[in-house]
Amino acid sequence: MKLFRQIVLALALASLICILTYTAVSQYVVQKAEENLRSIMLSHRGFHAYIQRVMHPTYYKARDKGMIDQNFYAPEILSSSYITRVMHDFFNEARVKEGLPPVYYKLASNNPRNPVSRADEQEEALIRLFNSNRSLKEYSKVVTVNGHRQLIYAKPFLETNQPCLRCHGKREDAPSGLQALYQGEGGFNEKAGVIRAIESIRIPIDDDLLAALVAASFSLSAVIILALLYLFNQNLRQKVREGTEALQGEIEERKAIQEALATSEENYRQFTALTSDYVHRCSRKLGAPYRIEWIGGALGSISGYDIEEMYQLGCWMPLVHPADRESTAAELESLRPGETRELTFRIIAKDQSVRWISDTCRCELGSCQDELIVYGAASDVTERVLAEEMLQLTRVTVNAVSDAIFWAAPDGRVVDVNEAACLKLGYTREELLGMTIPEIDPGESLEELQQQFQELRQVGTVCFESTHRAKDGRLIPVEVSVNYVRHGDVERNCGIARDISERKAMEEALRQSEESFRSIVESSPLAMHFYQLAASGELVFNGGNPSADRMFRISHGDLIGKTLEEAFPLLAASDFSELCRKVAKGELGQQSFERSFDDNLIRGTYSVQMYRSSPAMLVVDFMDITERKRGEEERLNLEKQLLHAQKLESLGVLAGGIAHDFNNLLTSIMGHTDLALLRLNRESPVRENLHQVELAATRAADLAKQMLAYSGRGKFLVEPIDLNRLVEEMTKMLEISISKRCVLRFNLAARIPMIDADATQLRQIIMNLVINASEAIGEKSGVIAVSTGCMQCDRRYLNSFWLNEQIPEGLYIWFEIADTGCGMDKETVAKIFDPFFTTKFTGRGLGMAAVLGIVRGHKGAIKVYSEVGQGTSFKVLLPAGERVKEFLEAYGDNEDGWKGKGTVLLVDDEETVIGIGSEMLKELGFEVLTALDGREGLELFKQQKERIVAVLLDLTMPHLDGEQTFRELRLLDPEVKVIMSSGYNEQEVTQRFAGKGLAGFIQKPYKLSTLKGVISGLFQN
């Protein structure tokens, strides 16, 4: 019964599979056939489209033009259905030739012109279906026609519209040719909006469906066969089961044995995989080496050789390290039956690594009398051997360390020491192991030690300095590094004590040396900078000594940590920075040189020395030699001027003597010439020669006057002169005298005191200098600037002038002639005042000599500044004399007799204001310090701050303007009294400085009375 059910179930399953297979294949066949039919129909529709869209319009156009008879009609070229039907017939002929079944195709209609196109029953039904359901676009179905299954596929083709009615409407409206061709009513009397024709196409699918049936049948056969095989197998298994039941009792015992054996083998395999050991069995006969009979375990992981490779080797002795091979072979050969021995040797693994093996071998007698068998259990002890070697090396290393090392328990007991600890303290190792840490370190107690051990557990390492007591009582200063060590449950305190006796002595010596060095550095008159060379190559400023603070007037502590470029930009901008780096790196030795600087921090001339105090440490010494260099320059200038003055004096004496004698001779010549002219007849031809002699004598007299002027012995007509008016009166004459390409510019001071001088001589100086300036400009365009002013001159300033050895300090009126001409070199400037020296092609060389003599005669001085290609300026100083008081009285009076006291700092970039302002302040009873810009004013204020009672400060200046200077002055002394002077009105300036502590304001230009009122009010307040 069970077998019957199984057969029924198998047949049902096979039938289901067959049905599913047939259904799937049939659907696939129909789908592919439908795709083919759709492709054919689309091709036919292309024919229809071409005929209707291309051929028909062409035909109607030709007919309308009269090219074709109006009644002409031929279906072979005008009927798309006819043409398509004929082409489909050709298509079927080609299919038949290729062995393919023909395809049924019809443009079916209920009212065709050609009976061939009349719809059959199925096609009539489809026409009705498409007309009733206009949303239906296609139809396909498998039908049986004449006993054969075919796939029919249809689509609506024509929906009659108005153009269609031209041929398919009423018969009488159709072309006569069409009427004559078709006598019946077929194709006529159609209505618009009706689908009158469909495309119907069919293809036989019997063969394809037969193939599907065959596939389904094959599937059914395969399933039936498999089912039968399954049933046969089941029956066979049943018989086998029944046959084996008889042997079950016998097999049970064998099975139990096999299971036990399998369990044993599995255990062996698992334990072998877990262990790093291997076992082996070797045998040999007398006189022969041992050969491997059996091997198992982890030999492969140890040596890299598998068991088969070992069997091929036959003996594992080739694996033994050459250095151990002879001794290992001897050990094996010496084994006797019943003897067990442990061998330790090295093997060379397959990857050429060296492994240490510990092999416990036992020797037994074999089955033959002369056969020996060795059973061995070997382990890889490489790590143990290496660990032992490393442990031994560690012990040797620890004992070789020169520092004492102690291992202590948490209770303070010493549990181990190295040899250095014994040597340092003088105890034996046994003595130290019986001691506690407080017995070695008298500064420690057991309670403190246990508390420190608790802290050591948390931080891990502690470093400190302490003192150890040696066996002989000596106290040894030590540096101790204590480390917490834990291994399992064992805790230790590992302390490393370094004897720092020598270091302490060196530190004390170093401290004393540093104190001495610091004392030397701090008391040194040299300004010292200290730099450190960073790893990046930058020089970092580490500080300076007090002399550096005083010399540069800054606090060097504010610059510590900055790079050389950040702290001293002026030094970094030159080759100074690179030179410092090379010395710091040791590329250069000690360097000594002189250098001039001009910066807010460092200004002046210095003797510089730089050297390394230690690796990566640089010291730079500065000695301010500004005054010394200035003194040397002044001395050299004075010597040059003295020599030049002596030369000029000698030349002046010579020129004066020559001129005096020359004048005497000229007087005789001119007198005799006049007498000869009086006594000669007017008609005498000699008179013309005498006139030429008289003219030459007159010119010679002018030359003698110039020589006398150079000697300073010329005749001067001294009178009070307003220099500005003198220059203005000469304007026309100067403009006529110079080149047309030159432009005269006048920069005359607003008000200056009058001077006592010879107007004619001054005109000669100005004229000579202006004409020389014009000639220096030459053919190119240029500017000649004529400037006047007054200024207060000290000895240092006067030393830069010619003829300054006899003139005193004080107020001087000056005029300056500057040009933009070719300029002169230093050699030319040095000779410019020499008599008869000239740079002109034609010239006597007495013009500048005469200028120098006139200046000397007026007790003045002259200064020349020239650069080749830039131009030349001549500045002439003339003493103001007693005319200053008259000038000051013109600016204001001091009738109430108020007098100030103390020193006033006058800061202005105009020399004229400096000169007149100084005289006004002196008139009011003050001593005066002057500066030409804010930066110089700040330097003076820092040096003379205790003396200065007020500052008269110009608002607009170069470098540091008045506002910036005022701010710096307030930083230096918050109580400083500053009076601001400016051409701006008072309201604008006071608003600008409101709330900033400005003491007063005076508007330029100001008189003495105005200045007195501002200053006196300041001090009275």
Side-chain angles (χ1 to χ4, degrees):
M1 191 67 183
K2 182 177 180 181
L3 179 61
F4 176 73
R5 287 198 301 270
Q6 290 176 346
I7 293 173
V8 171
L9 181 62
L11 292 175
L13 179 62
S15 300
L16 178 61
I17 293 173
C18 180
I19 293 170
L20 292 176
T21 303
Y22 178 74
T23 302
V25 174
S26 298
Q27 288 179 352
Y28 177 77
V29 167
V30 172
Q31 180 182 355
K32 297 303 290 183
E34 185 177 328
E35 290 178 359
N36 291 335
L37 294 179
R38 187 181 291 111
S39 175
I40 295 171
M41 186 175 289
L42 291 175
S43 174
H44 290 354
R45 288 209 170 192
F47 297 152
H48 284 286
Y50 176 79
I51 295 165
Q52 293 172 358
R53 297 180 188 176
V54 178
M55 294 179 67
H56 284 182
T58 304
Y59 164 75
Y60 291 130
K61 188 181 296 183
R63 192 182 68 176
D64 292 343
K65 292 181 179 181
M67 298 171 64
I68 300 174
D69 187 3
Q70 292 288 331
N71 295 318
F72 173 78
Y73 182 84
E76 292 84 356
I77 61 174
L78 294 176
S79 174
S80 63
S81 60
Y82 179 87
I83 295 172
T84 304
R85 183 168 63 250
V86 174
M87 290 185 69
H88 186 76
D89 291 340
F90 293 155
F91 171 72
N92 278 334
E93 289 179 5
R95 285 180 60 88
V96 171
K97 287 181 180 180
E98 294 295 330
L100 299 173
V103 177
Y104 171 88
Y105 173 78
K106 183 192 291 184
L107 187 60
S109 174
N110 290 329
N111 183 27
R113 287 196 173 99
N114 193 331
V116 176
S117 300
R118 180 167 298 278
D120 58 18
E121 292 180 2
Q122 290 182 344
E123 291 166 347
E124 287 179 356
L126 288 174
I127 291 173
R128 290 193 298 273
L129 177 62
F130 283 128
N131 275 298
S132 63
N133 185 3
R134 292 301 180 94
S135 63
L136 185 63
K137 301 301 181 183
E138 62 182 5
Y139 176 87
S140 65
K141 186 179 180 182
V142 178
V143 298
T144 301
V145 178
N146 298 326
H148 296 285
R149 282 176 293 181
Q150 294 184 342
L151 174 65
I152 182 171
Y153 179 78
K155 293 186 71 172
F157 179 69
L158 291 174
E159 180 178 345
T160 305
N161 52 27
Q162 289 300 327
C164 294
L165 294 178
R166 186 172 186 180
C167 294
H168 293 278
K170 294 180 179 181
R171 182 181 179 84
E172 56 269 19
D173 295 335
S176 58
L178 181 62
Q179 296 179 35
L181 184 61
Y182 298 104
Q183 297 298 322
E185 295 296 324
F188 296 108
N189 302 316
E190 296 287 350
K191 295 180 181 179
V194 176
I195 297 174
R196 72 174 188 274
I198 65 170
E199 281 185 292
S200 174
I201 188 167
R202 304 173 193 173
I203 189 170
I205 57 174
D206 282 340
D207 294 341
D208 296 329
L209 293 177
L210 180 60
L213 181 60
V214 170
S217 301
F218 178 77
S219 299
L220 176 61
S221 302
V223 171
I224 291 173
I225 293 171
L226 290 174
L228 293 175
L229 289 175
Y230 173 76
L231 294 175
F232 175 76
N233 182 53
Q234 288 293 102
N235 188 29
L236 181 61
R237 288 179 63 185
Q238 180 65 26
K239 291 181 178 180
V240 171
R241 187 181 299 110
E242 291 174 355
T244 55
E245 286 177 356
L247 300 175
Q248 187 67 33
E250 182 183 350
I251 294 174
E252 287 293 335
E253 183 178 358
R254 184 175 295 179
K255 184 177 179 181
I257 295 172
Q258 289 176 346
E259 288 178 355
L261 180 60
T263 302
S264 176
E265 290 178 350
E266 179 64 19
N267 291 338
Y268 173 76
R269 187 180 63 81
Q270 293 294 340
F271 286 126
T272 300
L274 293 174
T275 185
S276 59
D277 300 342
Y278 68 93
V279 291
H280 60 87
R281 180 176 182 272
C282 301
S283 66
R284 78 179 180 92
K285 293 189 177 182
L286 294 177
Y290 279 101
R291 296 190 62 81
I292 299 172
E293 291 186 349
W294 176 85
I295 194 165
L299 177 65
S301 62
I302 296 174
S303 67
Y305 294 96
D306 57 29
I307 294 176
E308 293 299 326
E309 289 176 320
M310 291 301 300
Y311 285 153
Q312 290 176 5
L313 287 174
C315 177
W316 48 264
M317 191 58 66
L319 272 63
V320 178
H321 194 281
D324 299 340
R325 194 172 295 164
E326 184 177 350
S327 60
T328 304
E331 288 280 346
L332 283 173
E333 290 177 0
S334 64
L335 277 173
R336 294 293 176 261
E339 185 178 358
T340 300
R341 189 177 301 173
E342 182 176 353
L343 306 180
T344 302
F345 53 88
R346 291 169 291 175
I347 66 170
I348 299 176
K350 192 173 184 178
D351 60 0
Q352 300 304 308
S353 61
V354 177
R355 312 295 296 176
W356 280 92
I357 303 297
S358 176
D359 193 355
T360 303
C361 299
R362 179 174 177 80
C363 184
E364 296 290 347
L365 284 173
S367 57
C368 301
Q369 185 66 27
D370 58 348
E371 182 182 19
L372 292 177
I373 297 176
V374 171
Y375 297 93
S379 301
D380 184 355
V381 294
T382 304
E383 294 183 1
R384 188 188 74 190
V385 171
L386 294 178
E388 291 174 353
E389 291 178 353
M390 182 57 67
L391 181 62
Q392 185 65 26
L393 177 63
T394 302
R395 170 56 65 180
V396 172
T397 303
V398 168
N399 286 329
V401 173
S402 60
D403 295 334
I405 303 178
F406 302 86
W407 285 268
D411 59 2
R413 291 179 298 105
V414 177
V415 296
D416 199 1
V417 295
N418 68 341
E419 293 179 359
C422 302
L423 294 174
K424 297 285 185 184
L425 299 178
Y427 293 101
T428 64
R429 186 172 186 276
E430 290 71 20
E431 290 174 331
L432 285 173
L433 297 183
M435 299 173 68
T436 61
I437 294 299
E439 292 176 318
I440 299 172
D441 190 339
E444 295 281 359
S445 66
L446 286 176
E447 293 78 10
E448 292 176 347
L449 189 66
Q450 292 174 356
Q451 182 179 358
Q452 291 172 3
F453 198 86
Q454 296 294 333
E455 297 175 357
L456 189 62
R457 285 193 181 100
Q458 299 176 358
V459 298
T461 302
V462 177
C463 296
F464 57 90
E465 290 187 2
S466 185
T467 304
H468 285 180
R469 180 186 289 115
K471 187 175 183 179
D472 58 5
R474 289 181 299 108
L475 293 178
I476 304 171
V478 292
E479 180 183 67
V480 183
S481 174
V482 182
N483 304 276
Y484 176 72
V485 180
R486 183 185 181 95
H487 181 69
D489 295 333
V490 179
E491 293 180 307
R492 290 290 182 264
N493 175 346
C494 177
I496 303 173
R498 174 167 293 177
D499 187 349
I500 57 174
S501 303
E502 294 183 2
R503 193 181 80 185
K504 285 291 185 181
M506 292 174 62
E507 287 177 353
E508 178 62 23
L510 180 61
R511 186 187 63 78
Q512 295 178 1
S513 174
E514 287 179 348
E515 288 182 357
S516 301
F517 178 74
R518 184 179 296 107
S519 175
I520 294 171
V521 169
E522 291 181 353
S523 61
S524 172
L526 299 176
M528 304 178 74
H529 282 181
F530 304 97
Y531 298 91
Q532 183 174 6
L533 183 64
S536 61
E538 294 183 331
L539 286 172
V540 180
F541 183 69
N542 277 1
N545 67 340
S547 293
D549 290 348
R550 291 191 298 270
M551 184 176 294
F552 301 134
R553 295 179 289 281
I554 60 171
S555 176
H556 284 71
D558 300 336
L559 304 176
I560 292 177
K562 295 184 177 181
T563 63
L564 174 62
E565 290 75 7
E566 294 170 343
F568 306 104
L570 178 66
L571 300 181
S574 64
D575 62 341
F576 187 88
S577 174
E578 185 62 25
L579 197 60
C580 287
R581 284 188 177 86
K582 289 184 178 180
V583 174
K585 293 177 180 178
E587 297 176 3
L588 294 176
Q590 178 174 332
Q591 299 293 308
S592 300
F593 52 89
E594 293 182 359
R595 187 67 59 88
S596 296
F597 304 104
D598 186 11
D599 187 65
N600 290 334
L601 296 181
I602 304 176
R603 181 185 299 175
T605 303
Y606 298 88
S607 174
V608 183
Q609 285 192 351
M610 54 179 64
Y611 51 90
R612 297 173 75 192
S613 60
S614 63
M617 293 297 296
L618 178 71
V619 180
V620 181
D621 296 340
F622 296 88
M623 178 183 290
D624 190 350
I625 58 173
T626 306
E627 294 300 327
R628 189 185 79 188
K629 297 294 287 186
R630 186 180 292 123
E632 291 177 357
E633 290 177 1
E634 290 177 356
R635 179 177 59 79
L636 291 174
N637 287 335
L638 286 174
E639 289 178 356
K640 290 179 181 178
Q641 291 178 2
L642 179 60
L643 291 173
H644 198 69
Q646 291 174 348
K647 182 181 74 172
L648 294 178
E649 185 67 25
S650 300
L651 291 173
V653 172
L654 177 61
I658 293 173
H660 179 73
D661 293 340
F662 199 44
N663 278 333
N664 290 336
L665 294 174
L666 289 174
T667 300
S668 174
I669 293 171
M670 294 176 70
H672 285 292
T673 303
D674 286 340
L675 291 175
L677 288 170
L678 288 174
R679 294 171 182 173
L680 279 174
N681 294 328
R682 291 185 179 275
E683 295 80 9
S684 174
V686 181
R687 291 183 67 87
E688 181 60 29
N689 300 99
L690 291 176
H691 280 302
Q692 293 297 325
V693 171
E694 185 179 27
L695 181 60
T698 302
R699 292 177 179 175
D702 291 336
L703 181 60
K705 289 180 181 179
Q706 287 184 333
M707 294 176 67
L708 286 173
Y710 170 73
S711 66
R713 300 177 185 179
K715 182 179 180 181
F716 294 153
L717 179 58
V718 178
E719 57 183 341
I721 294 174
D722 184 347
L723 184 59
N724 283 348
R725 180 177 297 176
L726 178 71
V727 173
E728 290 171 352
E729 291 173 350
M730 293 181 66
T731 301
K732 292 294 183 182
M733 183 171 57
L734 292 175
E735 289 176 346
I736 295 171
S737 303
I738 63 176
S739 169
K740 298 298 182 181
R741 295 180 177 272
C742 299
V743 177
L744 272 175
R745 289 182 181 172
F746 295 95
N747 304 308
L748 307 182
R751 282 185 292 272
I752 55 176
M754 298 181 73
I755 56 174
D756 293 330
D758 187 330
T760 302
Q761 301 292 339
L762 292 185
R763 289 190 188 98
Q764 182 178 349
I765 293 175
I766 296 172
M767 181 62 72
N768 281 353
L769 294 177
V770 169
I771 290 174
N772 284 348
S774 174
E775 292 176 348
I777 293 172
E779 295 299 322
K780 64 180 182 178
S781 299
V783 177
I784 301 173
V786 181
S787 307
T788 64
C790 65
M791 63 185 300
Q792 193 75 21
C793 299
D794 57 12
R795 175 53 53 194
R796 179 178 295 175
Y797 185 71
L798 291 173
N799 285 342
S800 63
F801 279 73
W802 294 74
L803 304 175
N804 61 12
E805 67 277 1
Q806 296 177 353
I807 60 177
E809 298 180 348
L811 186 68
Y812 282 82
I813 310 301
W814 58 267
F815 64 89
E816 184 178 45
I817 312 296
D819 63 72
T820 59
C822 60
M824 297 179 288
D825 55 24
K826 293 182 179 180
E827 291 75 12
T828 304
V829 172
K831 300 176 182 178
I832 192 171
F833 295 112
D834 290 354
F836 308 109
F837 175 78
T838 180
T839 59
K840 304 174 185 177
F841 182 72
T842 59
R844 294 169 298 186
L846 288 173
M848 294 306 298
V851 167
L852 185 64
I854 295 170
V855 172
R856 181 196 290 123
H858 285 79
K859 296 182 175 57
I862 186 169
K863 183 177 183 179
V864 183
Y865 178 77
S866 182
E867 286 189 12
V868 176
Q870 300 296 321
T872 305
S873 69
F874 290 87
K875 191 170 189 176
V876 177
L877 297 181
L878 298 173
E882 299 298 324
R883 300 287 177 180
V884 179
K885 293 184 178 180
E886 298 176 5
F887 177 76
L888 294 177
E889 290 172 359
Y891 269 78
D893 53 26
N894 192 20
E895 295 177 355
D896 57 1
W898 182 87
K899 291 288 185 181
K901 61 180 180 179
T903 302
V904 174
L905 174 60
L906 175 59
V907 186
D908 203 299
D909 62 327
E910 289 291 337
E911 293 179 343
T912 300
V913 177
I914 289 288
I916 295 300
S918 298
E919 291 297 322
M920 289 182 176
L921 291 170
K922 289 178 181 178
E923 184 69 20
L924 294 175
F926 292 102
E927 296 181 6
V928 183
L929 294 174
T930 61
L932 288 172
D933 57 53
R935 191 166 62 184
E936 185 180 350
L938 286 174
E939 294 296 330
L940 281 173
F941 187 81
K942 291 176 184 178
Q943 297 172 7
Q944 307 289 339
K945 184 169 66 173
E946 302 301 327
R947 292 176 49 199
I948 296 172
V949 297
V951 179
L952 184 56
L953 180 63
D954 184 23
L955 180 61
T956 306
M957 295 182 296
H959 303 306
L960 284 178
D961 62 15
E963 185 174 358
Q964 293 172 314
T965 306
F966 171 73
R967 187 162 53 246
E968 295 295 329
L969 289 170
R970 294 279 294 177
L971 290 174
L972 293 172
D973 184 3
E975 303 298 326
V976 63
K977 296 179 176 63
V978 179
I979 301 170
M980 193 67 68
S981 67
S982 174
Y984 298 114
N985 60 56
E986 182 175 3
Q987 182 179 2
E988 183 178 352
V989 175
T990 52
Q991 286 180 354
R992 188 171 175 181
F993 289 88
K996 296 182 179 179
L998 187 65
F1001 173 79
I1002 186 169
Q1003 187 173 8
K1004 293 180 180 180
Y1006 49 81
K1007 294 184 178 181
L1008 178 62
S1009 58
T1010 307
L1011 180 62
K1012 183 187 75 173
V1014 173
I1015 294 184
S1016 62
L1018 179 67
F1019 286 101
Q1020 289 172 2
N1021 292 336

